[in-house]
Amino acid sequence: MEQPLSIELKNCTMGYGNFVVLKNISLQIPAGRIVAILGGSGGGKTTLLRHITGLNRPFSGEIFLEGKSLWSQSGRDFQKLRGSMGVLFQDGALLGQLTVAENVGLRLSELTKLNKKTIREIALYYLSLVDLADYAEFYPTELSGGMRKRVGLARALVAEPPILLCDEPTSGLDPINAAKMDELLLSMKERFPAMTIVSISHDLASVHKTAAQVVVLNEGHIAYNGNFSGLENTQDPFLRQFIERKVSSDKQEEALEKSLPDNIRQLMYDSLKDIIHRS
Amino acid sequence: MSDCKKKLKRPVSGSKTADLIAAIGSLVVFLINEIGAMALFMFGGLRAMVNFTSQISKILRQIAAIGYGSLFLIILIGLFTGMVIGLQGYHTLSQFGSTGFLGSAVALSLIRELAPVLTAIMVTGRAGSAMSAEIGVMRITDQIDALEVMNINPMNFLIAPRLTASLISFPLLTSLFAVVGIFGGYITGVLLLDMSSGIYFSRINSSVVWGDVLGCLVKAVVFAILVVTVCCYKGFFVHLRLDGKGAEAVGNATTSAVVLSCILILIFDYVITSFHM
């Protein structure tokens, strides 16, 4: 039996103001799957995520969540549908004036009538899933980048939403912490098997480890949509460049080969000689 | 092709006057848009205040930041403002042999004008700029987006508590400013210049009417709404600014919030006074 779709985009054109970032995108993400969205910087990955979360409205096309058109819903129904998502932002986007535990329990403290003690217990449980229960009373500024991301993940997991969206969960992390984050996402998948996880990434190793479906964005279009082994075996020149981490264009290659003219380099050295010691 | 573009961009008349009119037109449209957006933002904030019972802890935190945090400043400025008015008033009134009216002059000028205006301007500089910067930073670091995707209304979470706290704090701070200012006038007139304390206070008692006090409180409430609306609006929409991005935009938003708040305080002061007279 075919799995129901968790997220579906139909002919969506997206961007900001008058600037189009993604053109005529159609994408289907079945429920309960880990999907990785790949692409170069400025390729529209975050734009895609912002539109799926309903933070921005597409210029044209439709976005369906759990089979319901997001932008056809009104007021409360829109909120309900959006409530079916947990989002981990790129830098965690934790509220600086709240402690880690307050950040994790924020959704509950603002939207429910649960008492403080219960909310704290729930927050501590989700913090323990990301191994940060001991940091409950810390403020976000007192944590490292990786820890902030893990707190962001704990916050996104509260109420165990059917869809989890992660914006570059491993970017800026050292290999050990990036691997930890991968393990964390996989363990979340084991713990909540029905959860659809969409993870935006640059990190091929991480994608290989976690994702069942890979979507590659390039120049405003979907360049690839399939599994990782299909991506590895592709003959598409852009995708080959992408997975082999080659320099992406002749123009860039030319720029790397070029050197700074001697007179300008000397001028730079002379102007800095009082500041930088050069032997 | 490029010629076509040039022709399209140029106004029909091609004259400097037409360019000037077009620029003025754009500015007027921009201002009307901005005023409209700010008014909608204000009504959104006022509407969100309805749920204040669930926001008590946030309101108290804001009262501490806006009200309690401004206490020392208000007492200091109020005291010296009263002392200066006392000094100037005494020397001016002595030329007409009517120093006995010093109490009236100090109290009326403070209660009718200086207390609400100076309090609002001081709180704008201290707490309004902080509001604008804090909300601006929240915007550029995706914190407001995070609230939205968690279905937490930023108007409820960020704006309404600040608005409620200001509506409580501004009238109290304004009243404190006026009382301390009157005491400042007393220090100059009675303690330093040997005026009779009985005359000073009896003149205040006979000249200040409830209408003056009510007008003072109305101004404080209006200024509270103005300051919070302008400062929060500038921070909230910092990402739409054209004069900078990121930290620079937050700086510019904070500056423009303070400047615009001060200008609006003076304009609305005149409008309210003209209705009151």
Side-chain angles (χ1 to χ4, degrees):
Chain A
M1 199 176 93
E2 214 170 273
Q3 271 180 305
L5 292 177
S6 180
I7 301 169
E8 187 179 13
L9 280 76
K10 275 187 184 168
N11 304 319
C12 287
T13 297
M14 306 163 177
Y16 310 99
N18 297 322
F19 185 64
V20 174
V21 180
L22 295 168
K23 276 175 255 166
N24 216 20
I25 296 274
S26 291
L27 180 65
Q28 296 184 327
I29 298 175
R33 189 179 272 188
I34 299 188
V35 179
I37 312 277
L38 286 170
S41 293
K45 303 185 298 293
T46 301
T47 303
L48 180 65
L49 185 125
R50 288 184 66 85
H51 283 77
I52 292 173
T53 55
L55 284 170
N56 294 86
R57 191 172 186 158
F59 297 141
S60 63
E62 276 192 284
I63 296 171
F64 293 89
L65 296 176
E66 312 269 290
K68 289 176 188 163
S69 171
L70 180 64
W71 289 101
S72 303
Q73 310 296 314
S74 57
R76 200 166 281 273
D77 291 333
F78 178 86
Q79 287 196 329
K80 238 184 208 176
L81 205 51
R82 194 149 75 170
S84 63
M85 284 181 282
V87 184
L88 163 60
F89 283 85
Q90 213 166 62
D91 294 312
L94 304 176
L95 272 69
Q97 68 271 35
L98 303 181
T99 63
V100 163
E102 284 168 343
N103 261 290
V104 175
L106 188 62
R107 204 179 209 179
L108 300 174
S109 61
E110 288 300 313
L111 303 177
T112 69
K113 290 195 164 85
L114 291 172
N115 63 44
K116 276 185 182 177
K117 198 181 159 204
T118 314
I119 293 173
R120 193 181 155 75
E121 254 179 59
I122 295 171
L124 286 175
Y125 165 72
Y126 286 103
L127 279 172
S128 72
L129 292 185
V130 295
D131 199 19
L132 284 174
D134 294 342
Y135 294 84
E137 294 313 315
F138 281 56
Y139 282 89
T141 47
E142 296 168 324
L143 304 179
S144 70
M147 284 167 151
R148 280 203 290 271
K149 283 192 179 183
R150 275 149 63 197
V151 176
L153 180 62
R155 188 176 67 181
L157 284 171
V158 170
E160 292 154 25
I163 303 169
L164 176 66
L165 303 169
C166 305
D167 191 358
E168 306 205 10
T170 56
S171 74
L173 300 185
D174 63 85
I176 295 168
N177 275 312
K180 267 189 198 168
M181 185 56 96
D182 291 340
E183 290 299 330
L184 207 55
L185 284 181
L186 287 171
S187 68
M188 290 306 124
K189 188 75 202 77
E190 268 172 36
R191 194 178 283 268
F192 312 112
M195 191 182 274
T196 308
I197 301 177
V198 179
S199 174
I200 282 173
S201 186
H202 285 294
D203 189 347
L204 283 170
S206 161
V207 170
H208 181 54
K209 204 167 165 185
T210 56
Q213 182 181 347
V214 182
V215 177
V216 184
L217 298 175
N218 181 37
E219 294 185 350
H221 293 98
I222 291 179
Y224 178 80
N225 184 5
N227 57 23
F228 194 83
S229 59
L231 181 64
E232 276 181 317
N233 299 324
T234 183
Q235 294 309 312
D236 181 275
F238 165 74
L239 294 173
R240 287 243 61 85
Q241 270 182 338
F242 194 83
I243 55 178
E244 287 166 13
R245 302 181 64 176
K246 279 185 181 169
V247 174
S248 61
S249 68
D250 294 345
K251 205 173 156 190
Q252 202 174 341
E253 232 166 82
E254 201 180 300
L256 287 172
E257 279 167 13
K258 231 196 237 170
S259 64
L260 200 61
D262 288 344
N263 58 337
I264 294 178
R265 173 166 282 122
Q266 194 54 47
L267 202 63
M268 180 177 71
Y269 287 162
D270 290 348
S271 63
L272 290 171
K273 69 183 173 192
D274 294 337
I275 305 163
I276 302 170
H277 171 73
R278 301 186 68 86
S279 55
Chain B
M1 184 67 186
S2 59
D3 286 345
C4 287
K5 275 186 185 169
K6 274 180 194 167
K7 275 177 194 167
L8 281 173
K9 276 183 185 173
R10 193 172 290 166
V12 180
S13 71
S15 67
K16 280 186 179 173
T17 316
D19 289 349
L20 185 69
I21 292 170
I24 293 169
S26 307
L27 184 68
V28 170
V29 170
F30 170 78
L31 284 177
I32 290 171
N33 267 332
E34 192 79 349
I35 291 167
M38 224 178 262
L40 287 175
F41 187 81
M42 182 184 78
F43 289 125
L46 291 172
R47 201 175 52 190
M49 276 173 57
V50 174
N51 302 325
F52 74 94
T53 46
S54 59
Q55 310 270 356
I56 300 291
S57 63
K58 284 199 278 285
I59 292 168
L60 289 175
R61 205 179 296 168
Q62 289 303 324
I63 288 175
I66 300 166
Y68 181 71
S70 305
L71 266 183
F72 177 70
L73 185 74
I74 293 301
I75 290 170
L76 196 71
I77 306 277
L79 185 70
F80 280 98
T81 305
M83 286 175 75
V84 167
I85 298 172
L87 197 60
Q88 288 282 8
Y90 186 87
H91 287 293
T92 308
L93 291 169
S94 66
Q95 289 174 10
F96 307 102
S98 47
T99 50
F101 287 96
L102 183 68
S104 302
V106 171
L108 287 177
S109 53
L110 277 168
I111 293 171
R112 286 184 180 173
E113 293 301 329
L114 291 172
V117 171
L118 286 181
T119 301
I121 289 175
M122 289 304 132
V123 178
T124 302
R126 212 198 69 82
S129 56
M131 267 182 227
S132 189
E134 186 183 346
I135 294 175
V137 168
M138 288 184 77
R139 169 63 77 187
I140 62 166
T141 53
D142 293 334
Q143 293 178 43
I144 294 178
D145 289 342
L147 289 175
E148 283 186 30
V149 297
M150 286 191 282
N151 278 338
I152 298 168
N153 185 348
M155 296 305 281
N156 288 345
F157 189 80
L158 296 172
I159 315 302
R162 284 169 170 80
L163 209 44
T164 313
S166 295
L167 285 173
I168 295 167
S169 303
F170 270 61
L172 290 174
L173 289 173
T174 303
S175 306
L176 182 70
F177 189 107
V179 170
V180 173
I182 289 169
F183 179 66
Y186 174 87
I187 292 174
T188 323
V190 177
L191 301 183
L192 300 178
L193 298 169
D194 287 335
M195 201 189 140
S196 156
S197 128
I199 290 174
Y200 183 82
F201 283 114
S202 72
R203 286 294 179 193
I204 293 175
N205 195 31
S206 61
S207 60
V208 177
V209 292
W210 274 111
D212 297 322
V213 179
L214 192 68
C216 171
L217 295 177
V218 167
K219 281 183 183 181
V221 166
V222 171
F223 295 162
I225 296 172
L226 268 181
V227 169
V228 175
T229 301
V230 172
C231 293
C232 291
Y233 174 87
K234 291 286 178 186
F236 200 83
F237 294 107
V238 72
H239 59 306
L240 302 179
R241 289 187 76 85
L242 301 172
D243 59 354
K245 293 284 167 217
E248 188 191 13
V250 175
N252 291 341
T254 307
T255 307
S256 72
V258 172
V259 172
L260 185 61
S261 296
C262 292
I263 292 169
L264 288 177
I265 286 165
L266 294 173
I267 292 172
F268 274 76
D269 181 45
Y270 177 79
V271 172
I272 297 167
T273 305
S274 64
F275 276 112
H276 192 62
M277 287 290 171

